[in-house]
Amino acid sequence: MKTLIENGTLVTPDGLRKGNLLIEDEKIAAIFFGSSDSPNGGTGDIDVFDASGLLVSPGLIDLHCHLREPGFEYKEDIASGMRAAAHGGFTSVCCMANTHPVNDTAAVTEFIKMKARRECEKTAVRVYPIGAATKGLKGEELTEMGELKEAGIVAVSDDGKSVVKAGRMRLVLSYARHFGLPVITHPEDLDLVGGGVMNEGYWSTVFGMPGTTRTAEESIIARDCMLAELESAHLHVAHVSTAGGADVVRWFKARGARVTAETAPHYLYATDAWVGGADGLSYDVNTRVNPPLRTEKDTQALIEALKDGTIDCIATDHAPHHADDKNVEFALAASGISGFETALGVCWTALVVPGHMTPEQMLRKMTRDPARVFALPGGSLETGAPADVALIDPAGEWIVDVAEFFSKGKNNPFHGKKLTGKVVATYVGGKCVYRGSRP
Ligand SMILES: [Zn+2]
């Protein structure tokens, strides 16, 4: 079976170029620029996709998501998560270890891979598990990282919480380095967080909510960067949300530390003012996320940090929850945003529409650059590479409706908002795993 994606604008390492993409045997068989020398699709057994007006991008790659299985299938399972990922243009996703049981043994890693393989018959999104850094995410005994790596993990993390003890974190970094595994830190000092439920600042005062100081995040970023430098280990900083956090990463990168970092789409667009909901009074529980939404100054600093390379990539931190976990008082609501299906639109609206980044710069932060951080395959359109492709309507405007999500988690603060930039189709290994209508 061949597929010809014709008349699109290809997102190549050299920029945007009009052309056609031929897929054959799960791989990109040929790329034709211009229209003169490409096959005309008239040979019968070729599926032709007219991509006029669309960007033909490498499939999106997400280094940080929560697929919730095993243990929390009422929030999401591997199959629904993969469908949601495909709907969002993602062709590869890395899932965090805070499942039940925790992914701290090879058996759990193998279970996740087995479930993903089974779902692949329908939705072939590539799932890369992340193993726990410590057993049970308890911050004490290290996991058997070698066995986990053999089973298929691509990094280790206690995401959801920091490794509280600095000495233990040092050991994690030292041990992970021996297996060539990046350590992802969830930077949050819980003692400093105290009872904070949103960003500590003007709006927490206005809303009368206990605030979380940015220092809770920045101090752990600094500590873990120092430890990574000490151990010459690869530290990846999850969901940087503050200007100061980006500054710390920038400083350690300049010193030559092996530090990489991500931020999430919501930190580039939404702020703590959103906590008040559409009317400013209703406390939208879907804005409850960890780390919390920050200020306009922070979003601007994060955009600068993306542009100058301090922040390597954008990861969703897709964190689906059941309505029962959210339909409670703000302070009791579970933290997290179901983000696969709005990630591209939010980033396009926050970064490309205002002209902060070109389409290819932005897409690199969701394709090639995350692939590089964890040394994953994919991330660029090249002849011979697996045909992982996302077709994007760059001008497509749409209103977010969580009822249309494939994810079980409908918790998303962009519900009802107008976004620009929409995923129209997703191919993984040459197979169409999502095809929607144009806005
Ligand atoms: Zn986290």
Side-chain angles (χ1 to χ4, degrees), residues 64 66 96 98 157-161 184-188 238-239 262 267 290-291 317:
H64 187 154
H66 300 270
M96 283 296 179
N98 61 344
S157 182
D158 278 3
D159 185 60
K161 37 184 149 173
I184 308 164
T185 178
H186 167 106
E188 185 185 32
H239 40 60
E262 72 191 30
Y267 302 117
N290 226 357
D317 195 4

Side-chain angles (χ1 to χ4, degrees), residues 314-365:
I314 301 167
T316 65
D317 195 4
H318 172 75
H321 285 295
H322 190 272
D324 291 352
D325 300 322
K326 281 288 192 183
N327 290 341
V328 290
E329 295 91 321
F330 190 89
L332 301 177
S335 291
I337 291 171
S338 177
F340 275 151
E341 291 156 275
T342 49
L344 187 278
V346 169
C347 291
W348 201 272
T349 306
L351 302 173
V352 180
V353 172
H356 295 304
M357 295 176 104
T358 64
E360 59 270 42
Q361 283 171 335
M362 194 285 272
L363 287 169
R364 233 176 268 153
K365 295 287 183 185

Side-chain angles (χ1 to χ4, degrees), residues 163-417:
V163 176
V164 174
K165 295 177 180 168
R168 202 48 49 147
M169 185 60 173
R170 179 183 180 183
L171 273 183
V172 165
L173 286 157
S174 165
Y175 195 49
R177 189 197 56 193
H178 288 290
F179 300 104
L181 288 166
V183 176
I184 308 164
T185 178
H186 167 106
E188 185 185 32
D189 184 318
L190 279 182
D191 194 39
L192 264 178
V193 168
V197 298
M198 66 175 289
N199 181 52
E200 181 179 298
Y202 173 80
W203 286 107
S204 64
T205 307
V206 169
F207 298 146
M209 299 260 202
T212 299
T213 170
R214 57 191 57 244
T215 306
E217 175 174 342
E218 292 160 7
S219 59
I220 298 292
I221 296 179
R223 183 200 76 173
D224 288 352
C225 285
M226 283 179 162
L227 294 171
E229 192 174 48
L230 180 66
E231 291 298 333
S232 306
H234 177 182
L235 179 79
H236 180 70
V237 183
H239 40 60
V240 177
S241 75
T242 72
D247 285 341
V248 173
V249 171
R250 187 179 288 114
W251 192 74
F252 276 96
K253 280 191 163 186
R255 284 166 62 97
R258 287 178 66 199
V259 175
T260 53
E262 72 191 30
T263 188
H266 38 274
Y267 302 117
L268 300 167
Y269 195 43
T271 66
D272 52 356
W274 288 40
V275 169
D279 56 4
L281 296 164
S282 56
Y283 303 122
D284 180 2
V285 287
N286 295 316
T287 60
R288 176 104 204 259
V289 60
N290 226 357
L293 298 174
R294 305 287 186 180
T295 67
E296 184 65 31
K297 210 173 128 224
D298 293 296
T299 62
Q300 292 308 315
L302 293 173
I303 290 169
E304 287 310 311
L306 272 175
K307 285 164 72 175
D308 72 14
T310 298
I311 296 179
D312 298 79
C313 61
I314 301 167
T316 65
D317 195 4
H318 172 75
H321 285 295
H322 190 272
D324 291 352
D325 300 322
K326 281 288 192 183
N327 290 341
V328 290
E329 295 91 321
F330 190 89
L332 301 177
S335 291
I337 291 171
S338 177
F340 275 151
E341 291 156 275
T342 49
L344 187 278
V346 169
C347 291
W348 201 272
T349 306
L351 302 173
V352 180
V353 172
H356 295 304
M357 295 176 104
T358 64
E360 59 270 42
Q361 283 171 335
M362 194 285 272
L363 287 169
R364 233 176 268 153
K365 295 287 183 185
M366 299 180 85
T367 57
R368 187 196 69 178
D369 293 352
R372 284 183 179 175
V373 169
F374 286 178
L376 302 177
S380 63
L381 298 182
E382 283 162 40
T383 305
D388 293 3
V389 181
L391 296 176
I392 296 163
D393 182 348
E397 292 185 339
W398 57 293
I399 308 281
V400 178
D401 180 358
V402 295
E404 290 168 2
F405 278 14
F406 292 7
S407 170
K408 290 184 188 177
K410 312 299 179 191
N411 49 304
N412 185 300
F414 300 100
H415 175 67
K417 298 244 182 320

